[in-house]
Amino acid sequence: MNAKSSIKTQPKHEQLGLSDAEVVDMYKYMLLARKFDERNLLLQRAGKINFHVSGIGQETAQVAAAFALDRERDYFLPYYRDYGFVLTVGMSLKELMLSAFAKADDPNSGGRQMPGHFGSKRLRIVTGSSPVTTQVPHAVGIALAAKMQKKDIVSYVTFGEGSSNQGDFHEGLNFAGVQKLPVIFMCENNQYAISVPIKKQLGGKVSDRALGYGFPGIRVDGNDALEVYRVVKEARERAVRGEGPTLIEAMMYRLSPHSTSDNDLAYRTKEEVDENWRKDGIPKMRQYLIEHGLWSEEQDEALSREISQQLKDAIESAESAPFPKPEDTLLHVYASEGEV
């Protein structure tokens, strides 16, 4: 064996500045988000909750991106599939279950919005609305405020590829490019805008659209957690240096139906879905950890049991919580003096 071949290659997560503990935590959040999503699908089918919009297949990129941001200072404008993201930045299973059950203590909207419309003043998660892409101009406004106040914080906003065809998307990117604002635009390209496949949505790449607005557009494999982490981390560093926004297009696949009211096999084949299950980022991350001696099958089984218990506790707590009172309908709709 020559000297060159005997040199041990540094693991990729170490090259990126991630510790062993951090990359293990990254995997734990991915699995937590997956199990949460799967449990909500079962709850809806059992008649326990009314509706669920799934993010199965998108957790890898969501969690990796959250690790690359400053979870103590940055502002987040996630879209309705971002369970992995909001769990990673600090929302609890109980909080998400309160939202799923539409209970009064739901921190997102007090049980008023559909699940998936996240909001938390404590975590700097800005509440989104049902019309898609309206969060993009809001993210740009937050980034403008950060620049005016000379704060080293970044606004991070996510959306699907279908949303990139909306006017709010283009107006937001144009203004951010002109003003060189510290904002990261993340397109979670899951290849379907509800039932419309990507070939009928786009004439090119979403990431290429950034070129028209004067800043970089990057396409990344959304099933590769460490690559997503690298790209988002570099975009954040660029933003705080005052070099402006970045558009990231994370390529992935929506492995579940659009929502619990959707029959996805009416517009795509089982064979196509099965093929994409083989590309799922969560098993890839688990295998990476095992290969580097950071994880084992026994630990994985223990983690699954632990998450199952956490979900059981969260569901029981949410089920027993009170519903909003009719007379409280207008509470939290208007800001009181001193709250703005």
Side-chain angles (χ1 to χ4, degrees), residues 25-42:
D25 280 347
M26 194 180 285
Y27 171 70
K28 288 180 177 179
Y29 277 114
M30 291 176 197
L31 194 62
L32 180 66
R34 175 64 58 84
K35 297 291 186 182
F36 166 83
D37 213 319
E38 292 173 343
R39 187 63 60 89
N40 272 265
L41 291 172
L42 293 175

mmCIF file of all heavy atoms in Angstrom, residues 25-42:
data_model
loop_
_atom_site.group_PDB
_atom_site.id
_atom_site.type_symbol
_atom_site.label_atom_id
_atom_site.label_comp_id
_atom_site.label_asym_id
_atom_site.label_seq_id
_atom_site.Cartn_x
_atom_site.Cartn_y
_atom_site.Cartn_z
ATOM 1 N N ASP A 25 -27.778 14.226 14.986
ATOM 2 C CA ASP A 25 -29.002 14.976 15.283
ATOM 3 C C ASP A 25 -29.781 15.303 14.006
ATOM 4 O O ASP A 25 -31.016 15.301 13.998
ATOM 5 C CB ASP A 25 -28.666 16.271 16.024
ATOM 6 C CG ASP A 25 -28.422 16.056 17.500
ATOM 7 O OD1 ASP A 25 -28.745 14.958 18.000
ATOM 8 O OD2 ASP A 25 -27.910 16.971 18.162
ATOM 9 N N MET A 26 -29.052 15.574 12.946
ATOM 10 C CA MET A 26 -29.685 15.858 11.673
ATOM 11 C C MET A 26 -30.550 14.667 11.250
ATOM 12 O O MET A 26 -31.718 14.824 10.858
ATOM 13 C CB MET A 26 -28.611 16.158 10.619
ATOM 14 C CG MET A 26 -29.118 16.793 9.353
ATOM 15 S SD MET A 26 -27.775 17.099 8.157
ATOM 16 C CE MET A 26 -26.974 18.523 8.890
ATOM 17 N N TYR A 27 -30.000 13.484 11.364
ATOM 18 C CA TYR A 27 -30.751 12.280 11.008
ATOM 19 C C TYR A 27 -31.955 12.089 11.935
ATOM 20 O O TYR A 27 -33.055 11.726 11.492
ATOM 21 C CB TYR A 27 -29.848 11.050 11.075
ATOM 22 C CG TYR A 27 -30.618 9.762 10.942
ATOM 23 C CD1 TYR A 27 -31.208 9.395 9.734
ATOM 24 C CD2 TYR A 27 -30.789 8.914 12.038
ATOM 25 C CE1 TYR A 27 -31.944 8.229 9.614
ATOM 26 C CE2 TYR A 27 -31.520 7.745 11.924
ATOM 27 C CZ TYR A 27 -32.103 7.406 10.715
ATOM 28 O OH TYR A 27 -32.832 6.261 10.603
ATOM 29 N N LYS A 28 -31.773 12.354 13.226
ATOM 30 C CA LYS A 28 -32.861 12.175 14.191
ATOM 31 C C LYS A 28 -34.047 13.066 13.843
ATOM 32 O O LYS A 28 -35.209 12.644 13.933
ATOM 33 C CB LYS A 28 -32.367 12.467 15.605
ATOM 34 C CG LYS A 28 -31.436 11.413 16.172
ATOM 35 C CD LYS A 28 -31.000 11.778 17.583
ATOM 36 C CE LYS A 28 -30.124 10.704 18.202
ATOM 37 N NZ LYS A 28 -29.681 11.079 19.574
ATOM 38 N N TYR A 29 -33.773 14.307 13.447
ATOM 39 C CA TYR A 29 -34.862 15.211 13.073
ATOM 40 C C TYR A 29 -35.560 14.752 11.791
ATOM 41 O O TYR A 29 -36.774 14.887 11.656
ATOM 42 C CB TYR A 29 -34.333 16.633 12.890
ATOM 43 C CG TYR A 29 -34.202 17.407 14.179
ATOM 44 C CD1 TYR A 29 -32.960 17.789 14.671
ATOM 45 C CD2 TYR A 29 -35.333 17.780 14.907
ATOM 46 C CE1 TYR A 29 -32.846 18.506 15.854
ATOM 47 C CE2 TYR A 29 -35.227 18.492 16.088
ATOM 48 C CZ TYR A 29 -33.980 18.857 16.558
ATOM 49 O OH TYR A 29 -33.867 19.563 17.721
ATOM 50 N N MET A 30 -34.788 14.201 10.866
ATOM 51 C CA MET A 30 -35.394 13.684 9.638
ATOM 52 C C MET A 30 -36.379 12.567 9.951
ATOM 53 O O MET A 30 -37.512 12.543 9.442
ATOM 54 C CB MET A 30 -34.310 13.145 8.695
ATOM 55 C CG MET A 30 -33.415 14.184 8.085
ATOM 56 S SD MET A 30 -32.138 13.362 7.107
ATOM 57 C CE MET A 30 -30.964 14.704 6.936
ATOM 58 N N LEU A 31 -35.946 11.640 10.817
ATOM 59 C CA LEU A 31 -36.807 10.517 11.157
ATOM 60 C C LEU A 31 -38.009 10.978 11.978
ATOM 61 O O LEU A 31 -39.127 10.476 11.790
ATOM 62 C CB LEU A 31 -36.014 9.454 11.929
ATOM 63 C CG LEU A 31 -36.694 8.091 12.063
ATOM 64 C CD1 LEU A 31 -36.928 7.458 10.692
ATOM 65 C CD2 LEU A 31 -35.874 7.153 12.943
ATOM 66 N N LEU A 32 -37.797 11.942 12.850
ATOM 67 C CA LEU A 32 -38.895 12.498 13.640
ATOM 68 C C LEU A 32 -39.968 13.092 12.730
ATOM 69 O O LEU A 32 -41.170 12.846 12.911
ATOM 70 C CB LEU A 32 -38.357 13.572 14.586
ATOM 71 C CG LEU A 32 -39.373 14.264 15.498
ATOM 72 C CD1 LEU A 32 -39.954 13.280 16.507
ATOM 73 C CD2 LEU A 32 -38.718 15.441 16.227
ATOM 74 N N ALA A 33 -39.533 13.876 11.733
ATOM 75 C CA ALA A 33 -40.476 14.484 10.798
ATOM 76 C C ALA A 33 -41.217 13.421 9.998
ATOM 77 O O ALA A 33 -42.434 13.527 9.763
ATOM 78 C CB ALA A 33 -39.737 15.433 9.855
ATOM 79 N N ARG A 34 -40.516 12.380 9.569
ATOM 80 C CA ARG A 34 -41.144 11.309 8.791
ATOM 81 C C ARG A 34 -42.210 10.579 9.621
ATOM 82 O O ARG A 34 -43.328 10.327 9.144
ATOM 83 C CB ARG A 34 -40.067 10.327 8.306
ATOM 84 C CG ARG A 34 -40.569 9.088 7.579
ATOM 85 C CD ARG A 34 -41.277 9.406 6.259
ATOM 86 N NE ARG A 34 -40.462 10.134 5.323
ATOM 87 C CZ ARG A 34 -39.576 9.595 4.461
ATOM 88 N NH1 ARG A 34 -39.404 8.285 4.434
ATOM 89 N NH2 ARG A 34 -38.890 10.364 3.635
ATOM 90 N N LYS A 35 -41.855 10.242 10.855
ATOM 91 C CA LYS A 35 -42.798 9.514 11.707
ATOM 92 C C LYS A 35 -44.009 10.387 12.049
ATOM 93 O O LYS A 35 -45.142 9.885 12.119
ATOM 94 C CB LYS A 35 -42.095 9.055 12.993
ATOM 95 C CG LYS A 35 -40.953 8.080 12.783
ATOM 96 C CD LYS A 35 -41.434 6.724 12.314
ATOM 97 C CE LYS A 35 -40.294 5.715 12.256
ATOM 98 N NZ LYS A 35 -40.730 4.388 11.756
ATOM 99 N N PHE A 36 -43.775 11.683 12.264
ATOM 100 C CA PHE A 36 -44.876 12.605 12.526
ATOM 101 C C PHE A 36 -45.844 12.630 11.339
ATOM 102 O O PHE A 36 -47.055 12.557 11.498
ATOM 103 C CB PHE A 36 -44.337 14.009 12.784
ATOM 104 C CG PHE A 36 -45.383 15.089 12.744
ATOM 105 C CD1 PHE A 36 -46.169 15.351 13.853
ATOM 106 C CD2 PHE A 36 -45.595 15.839 11.592
ATOM 107 C CE1 PHE A 36 -47.155 16.334 13.817
ATOM 108 C CE2 PHE A 36 -46.576 16.820 11.541
ATOM 109 C CZ PHE A 36 -47.365 17.059 12.661
ATOM 110 N N ASP A 37 -45.276 12.733 10.166
ATOM 111 C CA ASP A 37 -46.082 12.797 8.946
ATOM 112 C C ASP A 37 -46.893 11.517 8.756
ATOM 113 O O ASP A 37 -48.101 11.545 8.478
ATOM 114 C CB ASP A 37 -45.157 13.021 7.749
ATOM 115 C CG ASP A 37 -45.790 13.852 6.655
ATOM 116 O OD1 ASP A 37 -46.984 13.643 6.375
ATOM 117 O OD2 ASP A 37 -45.106 14.705 6.074
ATOM 118 N N GLU A 38 -46.246 10.389 8.911
ATOM 119 C CA GLU A 38 -46.931 9.102 8.757
ATOM 120 C C GLU A 38 -48.056 8.950 9.776
ATOM 121 O O GLU A 38 -49.143 8.440 9.447
ATOM 122 C CB GLU A 38 -45.926 7.958 8.904
ATOM 123 C CG GLU A 38 -44.925 7.874 7.761
ATOM 124 C CD GLU A 38 -43.836 6.847 7.998
ATOM 125 O OE1 GLU A 38 -43.646 6.425 9.159
ATOM 126 O OE2 GLU A 38 -43.153 6.477 7.023
ATOM 127 N N ARG A 39 -47.822 9.400 11.013
ATOM 128 C CA ARG A 39 -48.844 9.280 12.043
ATOM 129 C C ARG A 39 -50.055 10.163 11.727
ATOM 130 O O ARG A 39 -51.202 9.782 11.975
ATOM 131 C CB ARG A 39 -48.262 9.637 13.404
ATOM 132 C CG ARG A 39 -49.204 9.379 14.577
ATOM 133 C CD ARG A 39 -49.543 7.901 14.725
ATOM 134 N NE ARG A 39 -48.366 7.095 14.940
ATOM 135 C CZ ARG A 39 -47.851 6.830 16.148
ATOM 136 N NH1 ARG A 39 -48.433 7.297 17.231
ATOM 137 N NH2 ARG A 39 -46.771 6.073 16.259
ATOM 138 N N ASN A 40 -49.813 11.342 11.166
ATOM 139 C CA ASN A 40 -50.921 12.230 10.821
ATOM 140 C C ASN A 40 -51.786 11.653 9.704
ATOM 141 O O ASN A 40 -53.000 11.841 9.695
ATOM 142 C CB ASN A 40 -50.396 13.606 10.432
ATOM 143 C CG ASN A 40 -50.237 14.514 11.632
ATOM 144 O OD1 ASN A 40 -51.123 15.298 11.951
ATOM 145 N ND2 ASN A 40 -49.109 14.391 12.309
ATOM 146 N N LEU A 41 -51.167 10.962 8.773
ATOM 147 C CA LEU A 41 -51.949 10.298 7.726
ATOM 148 C C LEU A 41 -52.878 9.251 8.336
ATOM 149 O O LEU A 41 -54.042 9.127 7.941
ATOM 150 C CB LEU A 41 -51.005 9.654 6.703
ATOM 151 C CG LEU A 41 -50.205 10.612 5.817
ATOM 152 C CD1 LEU A 41 -49.165 9.841 4.996
ATOM 153 C CD2 LEU A 41 -51.116 11.408 4.893
ATOM 154 N N LEU A 42 -52.376 8.516 9.331
ATOM 155 C CA LEU A 42 -53.198 7.517 10.005
ATOM 156 C C LEU A 42 -54.303 8.171 10.828
ATOM 157 O O LEU A 42 -55.443 7.684 10.858
ATOM 158 C CB LEU A 42 -52.322 6.633 10.908
ATOM 159 C CG LEU A 42 -51.316 5.725 10.193
ATOM 160 C CD1 LEU A 42 -50.432 5.014 11.220
ATOM 161 C CD2 LEU A 42 -52.030 4.705 9.316
#
